[in-house]
Amino acid sequence: MNTDSAIFERLFGIKSSQVKKRCVLLPIATKEMITAFGVGDMKRGKIYAAGESGAITIIRTGMGPAFVGDAVLYLKESPCEEVVLFGSCGAVSAKNGLDIGSLASPAKCYALDSFHATLSICGGGSRTAPADTNICYPDKEESVALLKEGVSEEVCSVTCATVGSLKLEEEMGEWFAARQIDVVDMECAAFFTAAHHTGLKAAALLYVSDILHKKPYYMPSNSADQKKRARAIARAADLLHSILS
């Protein structure tokens, strides 16, 4: 076993050679998600955990751009060719058909995945943030697959902003509106950037878990919204299996 392979196995809990051609990355992997994806046993590594779901490798990355971005970089050392990020996002507002439990696929993503960049927009520095030119995109072929005929009615194509602060995102309404940003998350920009760097085909499928100001993430959820999220996770797992298997 060479050094790179040994490092991969220690970090992911499986050998790099065991990774499938197609991988789904989960920043958060709840029991609900693992069940929905039909994963039997998740092998735990030092940072990540990995399991098999038919022709797909499921990887729990942990939240945040560093964990997700590094996972994609390491996957370059494996047989993986295509990656899909499946995680949660917050809707900027309850418009464009977005509500709790809606499924969304970013067609482009503003990179604000550092606290410094996010704070600079909210009064901590220049309001002409470098993110105006720092936009990340999914692989066109993979993105189209998530929005293909028969799926497009269930998955909204959105503009995303990956932010570096959950607190500050609530102060960015004017900035979001000016750029027609639909959803916010914490991983997409790093995910797309790392995939572009490694040459892996990448797309993201997100479910709306909260709505800024109206139903923020820190407020208790009613049973109806909890059921919507559960249905979204189950449906997303079905869609990804049908597309990737």
Side-chain angles (χ1 to χ4, degrees):
M1 181 181 294
N2 64 40
T3 302
D4 287 344
S5 297
I7 293 173
F8 188 98
E9 184 174 359
R10 183 162 181 79
L11 293 178
F12 286 81
I14 63 173
K15 299 180 185 297
S16 59
S17 60
Q18 293 177 278
V19 176
K20 305 290 186 179
K21 178 181 176 181
R22 297 179 174 92
C23 295
V24 175
L25 274 54
L26 309 177
I28 299 177
T30 63
K31 290 182 179 179
E32 183 179 40
M33 288 184 179
I34 297 303
T35 299
F37 278 96
V39 179
D41 182 28
M42 293 287 283
K43 304 293 185 181
R44 294 186 178 185
K46 184 72 173 178
I47 296 178
Y48 307 108
E52 186 175 309
S53 180
I56 307 169
T57 296
I58 306 295
I59 298 172
R60 185 197 67 206
T61 63
M63 293 179 62
F67 288 129
V68 171
D70 279 352
V72 176
L73 297 182
Y74 279 114
L75 285 172
K76 180 63 175 177
E77 303 165 13
S78 77
C80 179
E81 297 178 7
E82 302 171 25
V83 285
V84 175
L85 177 70
F86 177 59
S88 62
C89 65
V92 173
S93 63
K95 295 180 180 178
N96 301 325
L98 292 173
D99 198 355
I100 301 295
S102 295
L103 294 177
S105 182
K108 69 176 181 178
C109 181
Y110 285 82
L112 296 173
D113 49 335
S114 78
F115 190 88
H116 177 272
T118 302
L119 185 58
S120 70
I121 294 172
C122 297
S126 171
R127 289 182 178 271
T128 57
D132 283 335
T133 56
N134 193 8
I135 302 175
C136 312
Y137 297 90
D139 178 83
K140 184 176 181 180
E141 182 179 340
E142 291 296 295
S143 183
V144 167
L146 287 179
L147 299 169
K148 67 182 180 181
E149 184 178 355
V151 175
S152 58
E153 294 180 359
E154 298 182 75
V155 182
C156 303
S157 178
V158 296
T159 297
C160 178
T162 294
V163 296
S165 168
L166 292 173
K167 181 182 188 302
L168 294 174
E169 68 182 12
E170 296 189 325
E171 303 175 23
M172 299 173 66
E174 184 178 334
W175 197 89
F176 291 153
R179 292 154 184 81
Q180 298 182 308
I181 290 169
D182 303 299
V183 302
V184 293
D185 91 316
M186 300 191 75
E187 292 90 16
C188 268
F191 174 73
F192 290 147
T193 301
H196 179 74
H197 178 78
T198 57
L200 298 180
K201 295 180 179 179
L205 180 62
L206 309 174
Y207 69 95
V208 176
S209 62
D210 56 274
I211 302 173
L212 270 64
H213 303 294
K214 182 180 179 182
K215 293 183 178 181
Y217 70 91
Y218 48 79
M219 295 299 292
S221 296
N222 58 43
S223 59
D225 285 343
Q226 291 173 9
K227 290 177 181 177
K228 288 178 182 178
R229 293 190 193 95
R231 285 195 295 267
I233 290 169
R235 184 55 186 146
D238 287 341
L239 289 174
L240 290 175
H241 272 296
S242 67
I243 294 167
L244 299 176
S245 297

